[in-house]
Amino acid sequence: QVLLVESGGGSVQAGGSLRLSCAASGNTSNVNCMGWFRQAPGKEREGVARIYVSSGSLVYADSVKGRFTISQDNAKNTVYLQMNSLKVEDTAMYYCAAGSAWACMSPIQYANFPDWGQGTQVTVSS
């Protein structure tokens, strides 16, 4: 089992920044891909970014390119999502997810990530 705990969410004004953290624990030996997803009210879950743990290879959704940055601290088993220039449409529940290497060999897709955190709310106001 892999336990993922997100933190860092909150309420900010448009144009502001937030930094989300995802701490992984438990049996992480098979975790090779980490991703961030979000789900806004009335909308489907959306892949935001992913990182291949071994190589550091990064993939972002078009909607967040240039504004969000995913990174990792392997020594701490932690993945981060730095969110800058936040927009109202970024408002959503953000989830951290973990998967095998296969999850990083395809477009960001929630079905490829078997382990999920509880989520952290991000609210952006105008």
Side-chain angles (χ1 to χ4, degrees):
Q1 296 183 349
V2 178
L3 176 64
L4 304 174
V5 180
E6 302 100 329
S7 62
S11 299
V12 298
Q13 293 186 358
S17 299
L18 284 174
R19 182 178 174 86
L20 307 183
S21 298
C22 174
S25 61
N27 186 6
T28 61
S29 62
N30 292 325
V31 175
N32 292 296
C33 186
M34 298 291 295
W36 285 98
F37 294 78
R38 65 186 181 186
Q39 187 164 22
K43 296 186 177 181
E44 296 184 355
R45 182 166 36 184
E46 174 190 19
V48 175
R50 74 176 189 222
I51 183 169
Y52 187 67
V53 175
S54 297
S55 69
S57 179
L58 310 174
V59 174
Y60 296 95
D62 289 340
S63 60
V64 306
K65 286 182 179 178
R67 300 189 298 118
F68 290 11
T69 302
I70 186 172
S71 61
Q72 64 182 344
D73 185 338
N74 290 333
K76 298 180 179 179
N77 288 321
T78 300
V79 175
Y80 305 94
L81 185 68
Q82 179 67 46
M83 305 184 295
N84 299 324
S85 301
L86 283 163
K87 304 175 181 179
V88 172
E89 51 263 44
D90 293 320
T91 296
M93 183 73 75
Y94 283 72
Y95 298 92
C96 176
S100 69
W102 294 107
C104 281
M105 297 179 184
S106 64
I108 308 173
Q109 224 286 328
Y110 73 90
N112 294 331
F113 293 84
D115 299 302
W116 295 79
Q118 84 288 348
T120 184
Q121 179 67 39
V122 172
T123 302
V124 184
S125 60
S126 62

